[in-house]
Amino acid sequence: MFTDALRAFGQVFEPPFRAILGKSLAFTLAVLLVIWIGLQALFAGYVDLPYPWLDAVLSILTGIGAIFALGFLVAPVTALFAGLFQDDVAEIVERTDYAGEQPGRAMPLGASLASTVKFTGIVILGNLLALVLLLVPGVNLIAFLVVNAYLLGREFFEFAAMRFMPPAEARALRKANSGTVFFGGLVIAGLLAVPLVNLVTPVFATIFMVHVMKRVSSRNRL
């Protein structure tokens, strides 16, 4: 598991993945910037204070709040990215690391878009639950890690598997290896919790789960 993780993290910065990583970073930062501007405009438009210094204090507090909000939104943005560039990443991994094996097939556009919307919605709901639990001392970080470990591990693994088998078989493979998939998701969630480094999460998670899926599939064939 950790060998796969280290291998995947190193590959993120290799030449074949750099263009996709650049798209991922630009996409993530653009979405977060739009949200940041929206939050600032929302508070500025609806709150009118009588003193300039209160405006300055509110601006600082809003900025701090926006930072926490953006930290929460990294997971949904990661989910949204997954539906846009996952196949490109997976194809490179399969071609370079598993050249002797049958390559996977990209999901049809309609199914991919539907899956992306569903996945993003589930991640948002899951992280809203985690956000509520952040108010509970001693549970906050654990809640974030557990929720995202389950959601991201499940979706990234099933994506990698569905390039080679029908959705029902991919789910069955994931359930048969639920412990491995959850701990893989925990690695992804751990990376997601690290500021700035979490910007590479979409590319890393895709590469990582392709390796995990290949290892699990190979073990099941023995």
Side-chain angles (χ1 to χ4, degrees), residues 11-22:
Q11 287 181 294
V12 167
F13 305 99
E14 291 180 356
F17 298 100
R18 284 177 189 166
I20 299 174
L21 179 60

Side-chain angles (χ1 to χ4, degrees), residues 26-85:
F27 175 81
T28 303
L29 291 173
V31 172
L32 295 179
L33 179 61
V34 168
I35 295 171
W36 173 286
I37 293 173
L39 289 173
Q40 293 280 13
L42 181 66
F43 278 93
Y46 286 92
V47 179
D48 186 20
L49 298 174
Y51 304 107
W53 67 269
L54 283 178
D55 283 330
V57 171
L58 179 63
S59 178
I60 293 172
L61 293 176
T62 302
I64 294 173
I67 290 173
F68 282 104
L70 295 182
F72 159 77
L73 289 168
V74 169
V77 172
T78 295
L80 186 59
F81 168 90
L84 300 177
F85 301 106

